[in-house]
């Protein structure tokens, strides 16, 4: 860094008189108080006492060597604490010791550099004056001239076919991105339908997550909560399975039938002897809602604390969710297994533009 | 020193340190004997079918529980009916100190157990005699589970409230799912079976006895194996981890910054 030898002695605003550049339209207001300049220079102990300087110097190079030790330690830690297959504690030792080695190496390096600068390097105050950014007229005129010459020599303005070709090529360049991004969306299906319908359909049995065991109505005692997936979900290929599960996951609970209040009397037929099934996908941003309190019959979403009251058709009673959880209409089949009577009658999960179309 | 010792021994007076040591020894022996004695009674087998035990339980019930649950355990305004809850529910609620409840509140917290193990079993025997219900699991129902399967079942059925590491979590309006690390296996089993307070019921048709065994095995595995990530910070996830890094990580950076910009003396 350039040092001004007249450190602090002439800390006054430079006037335009001596400067080679003009101040332009800048208003130079007189300072409201006089520049006090630098505080008096204070010698460090390392300046006054050669022994202290020696010690600081030693500290700096010892820290640099310590940094080398840290780096070597990390290498040895990698060699002597390898990650063994199937042994999770080995991962802990491996990351711990490699991390400690690298930490020591970097921290010692940094502290040494700062200590060097603070205690050993020359301690002098200096001033570098700011200057206006605007160049002088001569430079500016020359710059315009250069542009004109370049235009003349390249023929940018004269040879319009070349110029227009260049502009067209630059405009065309980002177009492939549109095709690429379109490719990320489902290709042969309508994304709206993907979001509006789930795997559930008439007659599909309710089965247990993760085994896929079908559930009988008699399996549920009062206060029971089952995590439910549709029949056949477990047989899908993994990627399809996960996509289907993300939409079709259902929470199945049994209450005393007299506890259930039906604002819409038709929906009582969607339950079976106090057994009700609600979508587990929060209508706020789609977190899985499964924190069920069997005495209060409240269902809590862990992400943003939306609460739904199962006794009142999963009405929102607290939190940011805007709509009740969609109910899955269920009944029992001839063998006593719980089955869906249709898909959800509205899209599950959070809102999207075309939701109500 | 030696001379002084000899003289103090001769004079027949004990030094204060010796008295203190004797006192500590005496307390240890008495306390140890008591602990050994009570431990031996705690492990005693209680026959839940015996009429004597049931009668004993009925007396305890009338004295300690009937105020809220009614003389015939039929339930009152203050407490639910206990007909058909089974011995498992009593062993869980009383055996973890949740009952008798100290005060009405959002939920009955775990507290020091108020009865001896024999008394708890007697109460359980009485309540079980009223109507059939889930019974206390036997010791072989709690061991030799499959940890991997237990982990999957725990994440599907339990982790949303109890946290994936069993560290517990908040519910609504002051209620909470307790942490599971310090809970005995038998109480975990009974809780799944009976659905205490706001916990849903996981009967044997939802989680089979084999599944329950697996879940217990997973919890035991978690208890006995330190976290691979090192310091767990109570396994509470982003809250405690974030606080730690904000306070100590950013604190260290602030400290270093002050040191870098401070003038060397």
């Amino acid at each position: 860094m350039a040092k001004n030898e007249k450190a602090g002695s002439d800390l006054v605003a430079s006037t335009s008189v001596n400067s080679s550049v003009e101040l332009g339209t800048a208003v130079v207001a007189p300072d409201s108080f006089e520049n006090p300049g630098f505080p008096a220079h204070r010698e460090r102990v390392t300046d006054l006492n050669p022994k202290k300087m020696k010690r600081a110097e030693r500290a700096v190079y010892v820290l640099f060597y310590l940094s080398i030790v840290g780096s070597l330690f990390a290498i040895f830690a990698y060699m002597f604490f390898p990650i063994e297959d199937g042994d999770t504690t080995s991962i802990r030792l491996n990351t711990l010791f490699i991390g400690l080695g690298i930490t020591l190496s970097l921290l010692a390096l940094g502290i040494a550099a700062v200590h060097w600068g603070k205690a050993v390097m020359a301690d002098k105050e200096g001033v570098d004056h700011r200057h206006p950014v605007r160049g002088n007229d001569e430079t500016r005129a020359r710059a315009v001239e250069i542009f004109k010459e370049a235009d003349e020599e390249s023929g940018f303005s004269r040879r319009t076919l070349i110029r227009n070709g260049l502009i067209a090529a630059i405009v065309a360049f980002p177009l492939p991105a549109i095709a690429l991004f379109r490719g990320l969306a489902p290709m042969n299906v309508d994304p709206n339908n993907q979001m509006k319908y789930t795997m559930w359909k008439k007659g599909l049995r309710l089965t247990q997550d993760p085994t896929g065991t079908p559930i009988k109505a008699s399996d549920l005692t009062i206060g029971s909560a089952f995590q439910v997936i549709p029949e056949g979900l477990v047989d899908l290929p993994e990627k399809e399975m996960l996509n289907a599960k993300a939409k079709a996951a259902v929470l199945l609970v049994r209450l005393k039938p007299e506890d259930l209040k039906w604002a819409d009397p038709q929906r009582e037929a969607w339950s079976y002897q106090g057994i009700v099934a609600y979508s587990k996908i929060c209508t706020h941003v789609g977190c899985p809602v499964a924190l069920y309190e069997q005495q209060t019959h409240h269902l809590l979403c862990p992400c943003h604390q939306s609460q739904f009251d199962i006794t009142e058709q999963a009405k929102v009673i607290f939190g940011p969710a805007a709509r009740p959880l969609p109910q899955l209409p269920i009944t029992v089949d001839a063998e006593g297994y719980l089955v869906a009577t249709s898909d959800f009658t509205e899209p599950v999960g959070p809102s999207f533009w075309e939701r109500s179309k | 020193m030696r001379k002084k010792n000899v003289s103090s021994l001769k004079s027949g007076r004990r030094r204060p340190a010796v008295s203190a040591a004797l006192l500590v020894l005496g307390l240890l022996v008495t306390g140890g004997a008591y602990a050994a004695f009570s431990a031996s009674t705690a492990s005693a087998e209680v026959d839940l079918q015996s009429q004597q035990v049931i009668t004993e339980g009925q007396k305890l019930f009338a004295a300690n529980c009937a105020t809220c649950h009614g003389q015939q355990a039929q339930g009152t305004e203050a407490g639910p009916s206990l007909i058909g809850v089974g011995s498992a529910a009593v062993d869980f609620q009383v055996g973890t100190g949740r009952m008798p409840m100290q005060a009405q509140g959002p939920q009955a917290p775990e507290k020091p157990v108020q009865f001896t193990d024999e008394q708890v079993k007697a109460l359980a025997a009485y309540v079980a005699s009223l109507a059939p219900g889930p019974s206390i699991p036997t010791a072989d129902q709690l061991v030799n589970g499959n940890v991997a399967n237990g982990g999957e079942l725990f994440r599907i059925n339990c982790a949303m409230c109890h946290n994936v590491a069993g560290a517990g979590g908040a519910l609504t309006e002051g209620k909470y799912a307790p942490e599971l690390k310090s809970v005995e296996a038998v109480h975990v089993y009974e809780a799944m079976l009976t659905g205490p307070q706001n916990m849903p019921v996981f009967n044997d048709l939802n989680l089979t006895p084999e599944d329950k065994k697996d879940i217990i095995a997973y919890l035991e595995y978690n208890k006995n194996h330190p976290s691979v990530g090192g310091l767990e910070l109570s396994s509470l996830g982003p809250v405690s981890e974030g606080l730690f890094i904000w306070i100590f990580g950013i604190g260290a950076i602030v400290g270093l910054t002050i040191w870098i910009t401070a003038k060397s003396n």
Side-chain angles (χ1 to χ4, degrees), chain A residues 42 44-45 88 91-92 111 114-115 118-119 123 125 208-210 218-227 290-296 298 300 307, chain B residues 152-153 156-157 160-161 170-173 175 194-195 197-203 205-207 221 226-230 256 259-260 262-265:
Chain A
R42 193 165 55 85
R44 301 168 302 183
V45 284
T88 45
I91 300 175
R92 187 163 50 142
I111 291 177
V114 173
H115 193 49
K118 285 177 62 170
D123 180 32
E125 291 85 5
Q208 270 191 286
D209 189 11
S218 57
D219 292 351
L220 278 87
T221 42
I222 303 280
S224 278
F226 277 63
Q227 315 294 327
L291 284 74
Y292 175 60
E293 299 177 356
Q294 64 121 332
Q295 286 181 342
T296 58
H298 292 173
L300 169 68
Q307 283 172 37
Chain B
E152 184 170 17
L153 290 169
I156 288 172
N157 291 290
M160 54 283 232
C161 298
L171 292 172
T172 69
E173 292 162 10
K175 298 183 284 291
T194 61
Q197 304 187 34
N198 267 303
M199 176 168 160
V201 179
F202 296 93
N203 61 34
L205 297 162
N206 186 354
L207 295 173
Y221 180 89
S227 162
V228 178
L256 272 175
W259 172 70
I260 288 172
K263 239 178 126 49
S264 182
N265 60 349

Coordinates of all heavy atoms in Angstrom, one line a residue, chain A residues 42 44-45 88 91-92 111 114-115 118-119 123 125 208-210 218-227 290-296 298 300 307, chain B residues 152-153 156-157 160-161 170-173 175 194-195 197-203 205-207 221 226-230 256 259-260 262-265:
Chain A
R42 N 1.3 6.3 18.6 CA 1.6 5.6 19.9 C 2.5 4.4 19.5 O 2.1 3.6 18.6 CB 0.3 5.1 20.5 CG 0.5 4.6 22.0 CD -0.9 4.6 22.6 NE -1.8 3.8 21.9 CZ -1.9 2.4 22.0 NH1 -1.1 1.8 22.8 NH2 -2.8 1.7 21.3
R44 N 4.2 0.8 19.7 CA 3.8 -0.5 20.2 C 4.9 -1.0 21.1 O 6.1 -0.6 21.0 CB 3.5 -1.5 19.1 CG 2.5 -1.1 18.1 CD 2.5 -1.9 16.9 NE 3.8 -1.9 16.2 CZ 4.0 -2.5 15.1 NH1 3.0 -3.2 14.5 NH2 5.2 -2.5 14.5
V45 N 4.6 -2.0 22.0 CA 5.6 -2.6 22.8 C 6.7 -3.2 21.9 O 7.9 -3.2 22.3 CB 5.1 -3.6 23.8 CG1 4.4 -2.9 25.0 CG2 4.2 -4.6 23.2
T88 N -20.5 -47.0 11.9 CA -20.9 -45.6 11.8 C -20.0 -44.8 12.7 O -19.7 -43.6 12.5 CB -22.3 -45.4 12.2 OG1 -22.6 -46.2 13.4 CG2 -23.3 -45.7 11.1
I91 N -17.1 -43.1 11.0 CA -17.3 -41.8 10.3 C -17.1 -40.6 11.2 O -16.5 -39.6 10.8 CB -18.8 -41.8 9.8 CG1 -19.0 -43.0 8.8 CG2 -19.1 -40.5 9.1 CD1 -20.4 -43.1 8.4
R92 N -17.6 -40.8 12.5 CA -17.5 -39.7 13.4 C -16.0 -39.4 13.7 O -15.6 -38.2 13.6 CB -18.1 -40.1 14.7 CG -18.2 -39.0 15.7 CD -19.2 -39.3 16.8 NE -19.0 -40.6 17.3 CZ -19.1 -40.8 18.6 NH1 -19.4 -39.9 19.4 NH2 -19.0 -42.0 19.1
I111 N -4.4 -16.5 12.0 CA -3.9 -15.8 13.2 C -2.5 -15.3 13.0 O -2.2 -14.2 13.4 CB -4.1 -16.7 14.4 CG1 -5.6 -16.9 14.7 CG2 -3.5 -16.0 15.7 CD1 -5.9 -17.8 15.9
V114 N -2.4 -12.3 10.7 CA -2.9 -11.0 11.4 C -1.9 -10.6 12.4 O -1.6 -9.4 12.5 CB -4.3 -11.3 12.0 CG1 -4.8 -10.1 12.8 CG2 -5.3 -11.6 10.9
H115 N -1.4 -11.5 13.2 CA -0.5 -11.1 14.3 C 0.8 -10.5 13.6 O 1.3 -9.5 14.2 CB -0.1 -12.4 15.1 CG 0.6 -12.0 16.3 ND1 0.2 -11.1 17.2 CD2 1.8 -12.5 16.9 CE1 1.0 -11.0 18.3 NE2 2.0 -11.9 18.1
K118 N -0.1 -7.0 12.7 CA -0.4 -6.1 13.8 C 0.8 -5.8 14.6 O 1.1 -4.7 15.1 CB -1.5 -6.7 14.7 CG -2.9 -6.6 14.1 CD -3.9 -7.2 15.0 CE -3.9 -6.5 16.3 NZ -5.1 -7.0 17.1
A119 N 1.7 -6.8 14.9 CA 2.7 -6.6 15.9 C 4.1 -6.5 15.3 O 5.0 -5.8 15.9 CB 2.7 -7.8 16.8
D123 N 4.6 0.1 11.7 CA 3.4 0.7 12.2 C 3.4 2.2 11.8 O 3.9 3.0 12.6 CB 3.3 0.5 13.7 CG 2.1 1.1 14.3 OD1 1.0 1.1 13.6 OD2 2.1 1.5 15.5
E125 N 0.9 5.5 10.2 CA -0.4 6.0 9.7 C -0.2 6.6 8.3 O 0.9 7.3 8.1 CB -1.0 7.0 10.6 CG -1.5 6.4 11.9 CD -0.4 6.3 13.0 OE1 0.7 6.8 12.7 OE2 -0.7 5.8 14.0
Q208 N -52.0 -50.3 5.0 CA -51.1 -49.7 6.0 C -49.8 -49.3 5.3 O -49.3 -50.1 4.5 CB -50.8 -50.7 7.1 CG -51.8 -50.7 8.2 CD -51.3 -51.5 9.4 OE1 -51.3 -52.7 9.4 NE2 -50.8 -50.8 10.4
D209 N -49.3 -48.2 5.7 CA -47.9 -47.8 5.4 C -47.0 -48.4 6.4 O -47.2 -48.3 7.6 CB -47.9 -46.2 5.4 CG -46.6 -45.7 4.9 OD1 -45.8 -46.4 4.3 OD2 -46.4 -44.5 5.1
P210 N -45.9 -49.1 6.0 CA -45.3 -49.3 4.7 C -45.7 -50.7 4.1 O -45.2 -51.0 3.0 CB -43.8 -49.2 5.0 CG -43.7 -49.8 6.4 CD -45.0 -49.5 7.1
S218 N -62.8 -53.3 11.7 CA -62.8 -53.8 13.0 C -61.4 -53.6 13.6 O -61.2 -53.8 14.8 CB -63.2 -55.2 13.1 OG -62.4 -56.0 12.2
D219 N -60.4 -53.4 12.8 CA -59.0 -53.2 13.3 C -58.8 -51.9 14.1 O -57.9 -51.8 14.8 CB -58.0 -53.1 12.1 CG -57.9 -54.5 11.4 OD1 -58.4 -55.5 11.9 OD2 -57.2 -54.5 10.3
L220 N -59.7 -50.9 13.8 CA -59.6 -49.6 14.4 C -60.4 -49.6 15.7 O -61.6 -49.7 15.7 CB -60.1 -48.5 13.5 CG -59.1 -48.0 12.5 CD1 -59.2 -48.9 11.2 CD2 -59.3 -46.6 12.1
T221 N -59.7 -49.4 16.8 CA -60.4 -49.1 18.1 C -60.6 -47.6 18.2 O -59.9 -46.9 17.5 CB -59.7 -49.7 19.3 OG1 -58.3 -49.4 19.1 CG2 -59.9 -51.2 19.4
I222 N -61.5 -47.2 19.1 CA -61.6 -45.7 19.3 C -60.3 -45.1 19.7 O -59.6 -45.6 20.6 CB -62.7 -45.5 20.4 CG1 -64.0 -46.1 20.1 CG2 -62.8 -44.0 20.7 CD1 -64.9 -45.4 19.2
G223 N -59.9 -44.0 19.0 CA -58.7 -43.4 19.3 C -57.5 -43.9 18.5 O -56.4 -43.4 18.6
S224 N -57.8 -44.9 17.6 CA -56.7 -45.4 16.8 C -56.3 -44.4 15.7 O -57.2 -43.6 15.2 CB -57.1 -46.7 16.1 OG -57.0 -47.8 16.9
A225 N -55.1 -44.4 15.2 CA -54.7 -43.6 14.1 C -53.8 -44.5 13.2 O -52.8 -45.1 13.6 CB -53.8 -42.4 14.5
F226 N -54.2 -44.7 11.9 CA -53.5 -45.5 11.0 C -52.9 -44.6 9.9 O -53.6 -43.6 9.4 CB -54.4 -46.5 10.3 CG -54.7 -47.7 11.1 CD1 -55.3 -47.7 12.3 CD2 -54.3 -49.0 10.6 CE1 -55.5 -48.8 13.0 CE2 -54.5 -50.1 11.3 CZ -55.1 -50.1 12.5
Q227 N -51.6 -44.8 9.5 CA -51.0 -44.1 8.4 C -51.3 -45.0 7.1 O -50.9 -46.1 7.1 CB -49.5 -44.0 8.6 CG -49.1 -43.5 9.9 CD -49.6 -42.1 10.3 OE1 -49.6 -41.2 9.4 NE2 -49.9 -41.8 11.5
A290 N -49.7 -35.1 10.4 CA -50.0 -36.3 11.1 C -49.9 -36.3 12.6 O -49.9 -37.3 13.2 CB -49.1 -37.4 10.5
L291 N -49.8 -35.1 13.2 CA -49.7 -35.0 14.6 C -51.1 -35.0 15.2 O -51.7 -33.9 15.3 CB -48.9 -33.8 15.1 CG -47.4 -33.8 14.9 CD1 -47.0 -33.7 13.5 CD2 -46.7 -32.7 15.7
Y292 N -51.7 -36.2 15.4 CA -53.1 -36.3 15.8 C -53.2 -36.4 17.3 O -52.6 -37.3 17.9 CB -53.7 -37.5 15.1 CG -55.1 -37.8 15.5 CD1 -56.1 -36.8 15.2 CD2 -55.5 -39.0 16.1 CE1 -57.4 -37.1 15.6 CE2 -56.8 -39.2 16.5 CZ -57.7 -38.3 16.2 OH -59.0 -38.5 16.6
E293 N -54.0 -35.6 17.8 CA -54.3 -35.7 19.3 C -55.7 -36.4 19.5 O -56.7 -35.8 19.1 CB -54.4 -34.3 19.9 CG -53.1 -33.5 19.8 CD -53.1 -32.1 20.3 OE1 -54.2 -31.7 20.8 OE2 -52.1 -31.4 20.3
Q294 N -55.6 -37.6 20.1 CA -56.8 -38.4 20.1 C -57.9 -37.9 21.0 O -59.1 -38.3 20.9 CB -56.5 -39.9 20.3 CG -55.9 -40.1 21.7 CD -56.8 -41.1 22.4 OE1 -58.0 -41.2 22.2 NE2 -56.1 -41.9 23.3
Q295 N -57.6 -37.1 22.0 CA -58.6 -36.6 22.9 C -59.3 -35.3 22.4 O -60.5 -35.1 22.5 CB -58.1 -36.4 24.3 CG -57.8 -37.7 25.0 CD -57.3 -37.5 26.4 OE1 -56.8 -36.5 26.8 NE2 -57.4 -38.6 27.2
T296 N -58.4 -34.4 21.9 CA -59.0 -33.1 21.4 C -59.4 -33.2 19.9 O -60.1 -32.4 19.4 CB -57.9 -32.0 21.5 OG1 -56.8 -32.4 20.7 CG2 -57.5 -31.7 22.9
H298 N -57.6 -32.8 17.4 CA -57.0 -31.8 16.6 C -55.8 -32.5 15.8 O -55.2 -33.4 16.4 CB -56.4 -30.7 17.5 CG -57.5 -29.9 18.1 ND1 -57.2 -28.9 19.0 CD2 -58.8 -29.9 17.9 CE1 -58.3 -28.3 19.4 NE2 -59.3 -28.9 18.7
L300 N -52.3 -31.4 13.9 CA -51.4 -30.3 13.9 C -50.4 -30.5 12.8 O -49.9 -31.6 12.6 CB -50.7 -30.2 15.2 CG -49.5 -29.3 15.4 CD1 -49.9 -27.8 15.2 CD2 -48.8 -29.5 16.7
Q307 N -53.8 -25.9 12.4 CA -54.5 -27.0 13.2 C -55.8 -27.2 12.5 O -56.5 -26.3 12.1 CB -54.7 -26.6 14.6 CG -53.5 -26.7 15.5 CD -53.7 -26.1 16.9 OE1 -54.8 -26.2 17.4 NE2 -52.7 -25.5 17.4
Chain B
E152 N -38.1 -47.9 10.7 CA -39.1 -47.5 9.6 C -40.5 -47.3 10.2 O -41.1 -46.2 9.9 CB -39.2 -48.6 8.5 CG -40.1 -48.1 7.4 CD -40.0 -49.0 6.2 OE1 -39.5 -50.1 6.3 OE2 -40.4 -48.5 5.1
L153 N -40.9 -48.2 11.1 CA -42.2 -48.0 11.7 C -42.3 -46.8 12.6 O -43.3 -46.1 12.7 CB -42.6 -49.3 12.5 CG -42.9 -50.5 11.7 CD1 -42.9 -51.8 12.6 CD2 -44.2 -50.4 10.9
I156 N -42.7 -43.7 10.5 CA -44.0 -43.6 9.9 C -45.1 -43.2 11.0 O -45.9 -42.3 10.8 CB -44.4 -44.8 9.2 CG1 -43.6 -44.9 7.9 CG2 -45.9 -44.9 8.8 CD1 -43.7 -46.2 7.1
N157 N -45.0 -43.9 12.1 CA -46.1 -43.8 13.1 C -45.8 -42.9 14.3 O -46.7 -42.4 14.9 CB -46.4 -45.2 13.6 CG -47.1 -46.0 12.6 OD1 -48.2 -45.8 12.2 ND2 -46.4 -47.0 12.1
M160 N -43.4 -38.1 13.9 CA -44.0 -36.8 13.7 C -44.2 -36.1 15.0 O -44.1 -34.8 15.1 CB -45.3 -36.9 12.9 CG -46.4 -37.8 13.4 SD -45.9 -39.5 13.0 CE -47.4 -40.1 12.3
C161 N -44.6 -36.8 16.1 CA -44.8 -36.1 17.4 C -43.5 -36.3 18.3 O -43.1 -35.3 18.9 CB -46.0 -36.7 18.1 SG -47.5 -36.5 17.3
A170 N -43.3 -30.4 20.7 CA -44.5 -29.7 21.1 C -45.7 -30.1 20.4 O -45.7 -30.4 19.2 CB -44.2 -28.2 21.0
L171 N -46.9 -30.0 21.0 CA -48.2 -30.2 20.4 C -48.9 -28.9 20.6 O -48.3 -27.9 20.8 CB -48.9 -31.4 21.0 CG -48.3 -32.8 20.6 CD1 -49.0 -33.9 21.4 CD2 -48.4 -33.1 19.2
T172 N -50.3 -28.9 20.5 CA -51.0 -27.7 20.6 C -51.4 -27.3 22.1 O -51.5 -28.2 22.9 CB -52.3 -27.8 19.8 OG1 -53.2 -28.8 20.5 CG2 -52.1 -28.3 18.4
E173 N -51.5 -26.1 22.3 CA -52.1 -25.5 23.6 C -51.4 -26.1 24.8 O -52.1 -26.6 25.7 CB -53.6 -25.8 23.6 CG -54.3 -24.9 22.6 CD -55.7 -25.4 22.2 OE1 -56.2 -26.3 23.0 OE2 -56.3 -24.9 21.3
K175 N -49.7 -28.8 25.2 CA -49.5 -30.3 25.3 C -48.2 -30.6 24.5 O -47.7 -29.8 23.8 CB -50.6 -31.0 24.6 CG -52.0 -30.8 25.3 CD -53.1 -31.6 24.7 CE -53.6 -31.1 23.4 NZ -54.3 -29.8 23.5
T194 N -52.2 -48.6 24.7 CA -53.4 -48.0 25.3 C -53.7 -46.5 24.8 O -54.7 -46.0 25.1 CB -53.3 -47.9 26.8 OG1 -52.1 -47.2 27.2 CG2 -53.1 -49.3 27.4
G195 N -52.7 -45.9 24.2 CA -52.9 -44.5 23.8 C -53.2 -43.6 24.9 O -54.3 -43.0 25.0
Q197 N -53.6 -40.3 27.2 CA -53.8 -38.9 27.0 C -54.1 -38.7 25.5 O -54.9 -39.3 24.9 CB -52.7 -38.1 27.6 CG -52.6 -38.4 29.1 CD -51.7 -37.6 29.8 OE1 -51.5 -36.4 29.6 NE2 -51.0 -38.1 30.8
N198 N -53.3 -37.8 24.9 CA -53.6 -37.4 23.5 C -52.9 -38.3 22.5 O -53.0 -38.1 21.3 CB -53.3 -36.0 23.2 CG -54.6 -35.2 23.4 OD1 -55.6 -35.4 22.8 ND2 -54.5 -34.2 24.4
M199 N -52.1 -39.3 22.9 CA -51.5 -40.2 22.0 C -52.5 -41.1 21.4 O -53.3 -41.7 22.1 CB -50.4 -41.0 22.7 CG -49.7 -42.0 21.8 SD -48.2 -42.6 22.7 CE -48.0 -44.2 21.8
P200 N -52.5 -41.3 20.1 CA -53.4 -42.3 19.5 C -53.1 -43.7 19.9 O -52.0 -44.0 20.4 CB -53.2 -42.1 18.0 CG -52.4 -40.9 17.8 CD -51.7 -40.6 19.0
V201 N -54.1 -44.6 19.8 CA -54.0 -46.0 20.2 C -53.3 -46.7 19.0 O -53.7 -46.5 17.9 CB -55.4 -46.6 20.5 CG1 -55.2 -48.0 20.8 CG2 -56.1 -45.8 21.6
F202 N -52.3 -47.5 19.3 CA -51.7 -48.4 18.3 C -52.0 -49.8 18.7 O -51.1 -50.5 19.3 CB -50.3 -48.1 18.1 CG -50.0 -46.7 17.5 CD1 -49.8 -45.7 18.4 CD2 -50.1 -46.5 16.2 CE1 -49.6 -44.4 17.9 CE2 -49.9 -45.2 15.7 CZ -49.6 -44.1 16.5
N203 N -53.2 -50.3 18.5 CA -53.5 -51.7 19.0 C -52.8 -52.7 18.2 O -52.1 -52.4 17.2 CB -55.1 -51.9 18.9 CG -55.6 -51.8 17.5 OD1 -54.9 -52.1 16.5 ND2 -56.8 -51.2 17.3
L205 N -53.6 -54.8 16.0 CA -53.9 -55.0 14.6 C -53.3 -53.9 13.8 O -53.1 -54.0 12.6 CB -55.4 -55.0 14.4 CG -56.1 -56.1 15.2 CD1 -57.6 -55.9 15.3 CD2 -55.8 -57.4 14.4
N206 N -52.9 -52.7 14.4 CA -52.2 -51.7 13.7 C -50.7 -52.0 13.7 O -50.1 -52.2 12.7 CB -52.5 -50.3 14.4 CG -52.0 -49.1 13.6 OD1 -51.3 -49.3 12.7 ND2 -52.3 -48.0 14.1
L207 N -50.2 -52.0 14.9 CA -48.8 -52.4 15.1 C -48.8 -53.7 15.8 O -49.2 -53.8 17.0 CB -48.0 -51.3 15.9 CG -47.8 -50.0 15.3 CD1 -47.2 -49.0 16.3 CD2 -46.9 -50.1 14.0
Y221 N -31.7 -49.1 20.7 CA -30.5 -48.9 19.8 C -30.1 -47.5 19.9 O -28.9 -47.2 20.1 CB -30.8 -49.4 18.4 CG -29.6 -49.2 17.5 CD1 -28.7 -50.2 17.3 CD2 -29.4 -48.0 16.8 CE1 -27.6 -50.1 16.5 CE2 -28.3 -47.9 16.0 CZ -27.4 -48.9 15.8 OH -26.3 -48.8 15.0
P226 N -24.1 -43.8 20.5 CA -24.0 -42.3 20.4 C -24.2 -41.9 18.9 O -24.0 -42.6 18.0 CB -22.5 -42.1 20.8 CG -21.9 -43.4 20.5 CD -22.9 -44.4 20.7
S227 N -24.6 -40.6 18.8 CA -24.9 -40.1 17.5 C -23.6 -40.0 16.6 O -22.5 -39.7 17.1 CB -25.5 -38.7 17.6 OG -25.3 -38.0 16.4
V228 N -23.7 -40.5 15.4 CA -22.6 -40.4 14.5 C -22.1 -39.0 14.2 O -20.9 -38.7 14.0 CB -22.9 -41.1 13.1 CG1 -21.8 -41.0 12.2 CG2 -23.4 -42.5 13.4
G229 N -23.0 -38.1 14.3 CA -22.7 -36.7 14.1 C -21.9 -36.0 15.2 O -21.6 -34.8 15.2
G230 N -21.6 -36.7 16.3 CA -21.0 -36.1 17.5 C -22.0 -35.5 18.4 O -23.0 -36.1 18.7
L256 N -13.1 -12.6 16.9 CA -11.9 -12.5 16.0 C -11.8 -11.2 15.3 O -10.8 -10.6 15.1 CB -12.0 -13.6 15.0 CG -11.3 -14.9 15.4 CD1 -11.6 -16.0 14.3 CD2 -9.8 -14.8 15.6
W259 N -10.6 -8.5 17.5 CA -9.1 -8.7 17.7 C -8.3 -8.2 16.5 O -7.3 -7.5 16.6 CB -8.8 -10.2 18.0 CG -7.3 -10.5 18.0 CD1 -6.4 -10.1 18.9 CD2 -6.6 -11.2 17.0 NE1 -5.2 -10.5 18.6 CE2 -5.2 -11.2 17.4 CE3 -6.9 -11.8 15.8 CZ2 -4.2 -11.8 16.7 CZ3 -5.9 -12.4 15.1 CH2 -4.6 -12.4 15.5
I260 N -8.9 -8.5 15.3 CA -8.2 -8.1 14.0 C -8.1 -6.6 14.0 O -7.1 -6.0 13.6 CB -8.9 -8.7 12.8 CG1 -8.6 -10.2 12.7 CG2 -8.4 -8.0 11.5 CD1 -9.4 -10.9 11.7
A262 N -8.5 -4.3 16.4 CA -7.9 -3.6 17.6 C -6.5 -3.3 17.3 O -5.8 -4.0 16.6 CB -8.1 -4.5 18.8
K263 N -6.0 -2.2 17.8 CA -4.6 -1.8 17.7 C -3.7 -2.6 18.5 O -4.1 -3.0 19.7 CB -4.4 -0.3 18.1 CG -3.9 0.5 16.9 CD -3.8 2.0 17.3 CE -2.4 2.5 17.1 NZ -1.8 2.3 15.8
S264 N -2.6 -3.0 18.0 CA -1.6 -3.8 18.8 C -1.1 -2.9 19.9 O -0.9 -1.7 19.6 CB -0.5 -4.3 17.9 OG 0.4 -5.1 18.7
N265 N -0.9 -3.4 21.1 CA -0.4 -2.4 22.2 C 1.1 -2.2 22.1 O 1.8 -3.0 21.7 CB -0.8 -3.0 23.5 CG -0.2 -4.3 23.8 OD1 0.4 -4.9 22.8 ND2 -0.2 -4.8 25.0

